[in-house]
Structure formats: structure tokens, C-alpha cells
Amino acid sequence: MDDGSLAEETMKTLATRFATCAAALVLAGCATGPEVFSDFDPEQSFTEYRTFAWIGENPMTVAGDRGPNPLVAKRLQDTIQATLVEKGFQYVADPTDADFVVAFTVGARDLVEVREREYVDYYGPHWRWGYDYYGVRPARASTRTEVSTHNYTEGTLAIDIFDTERKSPVWHGAASKRLTRDELQGRNTEAIRAGVSAILAEFPPG
């Protein structure tokens, strides 16, 4: 097997391992607001990283109930690449020429939020009549609970960095948030830039 085939098989192996781990991480997230999380291998030195490439021709993995449309997937990939370039890393097309390779996972889950609200029904003083007396009944209060449900969609974006020399994952970043209708349909490009920027703000660590 030549070096090119070996590199391609290595990237496929890493992508398969990544897909399994990332799917579990995405499905485990449950934030109602924007929330960013990152983790990294403390034994890895990130100071010598200069170049990066995508892990393969299709670096995106879909997890959850639904995936983005092709236009949103392209915007995500372009935004991740542009953000890394802005941070000073050079993009190269061949993964074997890169210091690290990048993959990302997107997903959305349809969830139901159950809300409980307690009400107090207040009854003021009122007259009470009896057979042989009359008086005033003191104020009374009773409580009741109303339950309502709300459907919403939670989206998650995860970005993973793999060291090409070690052939090992070294950094993971993810963000989860409740999606608006425009975000769900991919019309809010600013949300894409903000999400990618928030995740990669923590790369490289330290």
C-alpha cells in the first residue's frame, strides 16, 4: 500500500472513530441556551501547529434527529476554515501535509419542555350565617398548578481536531443552543459565524 492509500485509510479510520464518539457527545447535550464546552489532550503540544486540512472529502457527521441542508453544511465548513485561517493557521488540501486535521458534527433534536406554574386563588373575608349566630369568615387561599408543554429544537455543533503525526484526537469543542426558526432553516448566517467563533475561541488551549 502506498503512502497516499495509507493516509486515506488512516483518515477513514479516524473519521469512523470520531463519528461514534461525537454522536454520543451531541446526543448527550441538553442546553436551552448557548453553551460552549471544550476539552483537550494535556499531553499534546499545540504551539508547533501551523497547517491544517479537512479529515476527508466529507468532514461533516450528522447526529440527532435531523441534519442541516447542503447550503448550511457548506456555510459551516467555509466558516470553520476561514476562522482557523484568521487565527493564523494555513489551510492545505492534502491531509498528509497538515499538522492537524479537522472534522465537525452537526445535529438537531426535537424536544418538549414541560412547564409548571403555581397559582394562588385568594378568597377574601365574607359573611357567614348560622342558625343562632352570624360573623365573618376569615380570608382563605388555595393553590393550583397548571402544566403546559412547549416544543422546541436544540442544535449542536461540535468541532474536533486530530493530530496527524500521532493519528489521535487532541481537541474537542462543542456548542448547543435552542434554535430559532431562521437558524433552523439556515437563514441566520450570523448565528453560524457566532457559534463557530465561540467554539474555536478556545483553540488552541491556553
Side-chain angles (χ1 to χ4, degrees), residues 85-96:
V85 170
E86 290 173 0
K87 294 177 72 69
F89 300 105
Q90 179 184 354
Y91 171 74
V92 296
D94 190 345
T96 61

Side-chain angles (χ1 to χ4, degrees), residues 38-40 44 46-47 87 171 200-206:
S38 68
D39 193 12
F40 66 95
Q44 176 65 38
F46 296 87
T47 58
K87 294 177 72 69
W171 187 87
L200 290 179
E202 302 187 15
F203 177 81

Side-chain angles (χ1 to χ4, degrees), residues 16-40:
T16 301
R17 184 192 310 172
F18 163 78
T20 303
C21 297
L25 288 167
V26 169
L27 294 176
C30 54
T32 56
E35 182 175 337
V36 178
F37 166 82
S38 68
D39 193 12
F40 66 95

Side-chain angles (χ1 to χ4, degrees), residues 49-117:
Y49 280 170
R50 297 292 182 270
T51 58
F52 73 96
W54 293 108
I55 198 169
E57 292 183 3
N58 183 13
M60 184 184 74
T61 300
V62 176
D65 299 329
R66 67 177 83 172
N69 66 55
L71 290 177
V72 175
K74 182 66 165 54
R75 292 184 190 119
L76 280 168
Q77 185 170 346
D78 290 345
T79 303
I80 293 171
Q81 181 172 318
T83 303
L84 287 171
V85 170
E86 290 173 0
K87 294 177 72 69
F89 300 105
Q90 179 184 354
Y91 171 74
V92 296
D94 190 345
T96 61
D97 295 333
D99 297 323
F100 64 89
V101 293
V102 185
F104 64 101
T105 295
V106 291
R109 297 188 301 166
D110 296 323
L111 302 175
V112 178
E113 180 183 41
V114 179
R115 299 176 181 175
E116 291 187 2
R117 185 174 180 181

Side-chain angles (χ1 to χ4, degrees), residues 124-188:
H126 61 281
W127 288 102
R128 178 182 63 182
W129 295 90
Y131 289 105
D132 53 0
Y133 69 94
Y134 63 91
V136 177
R137 185 184 297 274
R140 297 179 302 158
S142 64
T143 59
R144 56 187 174 87
T145 302
E146 290 189 358
V147 179
S148 61
T149 60
H150 301 269
N151 298 320
Y152 68 96
T153 300
E154 178 190 80
T156 302
L157 169 64
I159 302 174
D160 278 69
I161 304 296
F162 297 84
D163 185 90
T164 53
E165 182 177 355
R166 295 174 56 193
K167 297 180 175 58
S168 175
V170 293
W171 187 87
H172 169 81
S176 298
K177 74 181 298 289
R178 182 177 298 195
L179 299 178
T180 65
R181 179 173 298 180
D182 284 345
E183 291 169 346
L184 188 60
Q185 296 176 353
R187 292 198 294 260
N188 191 339

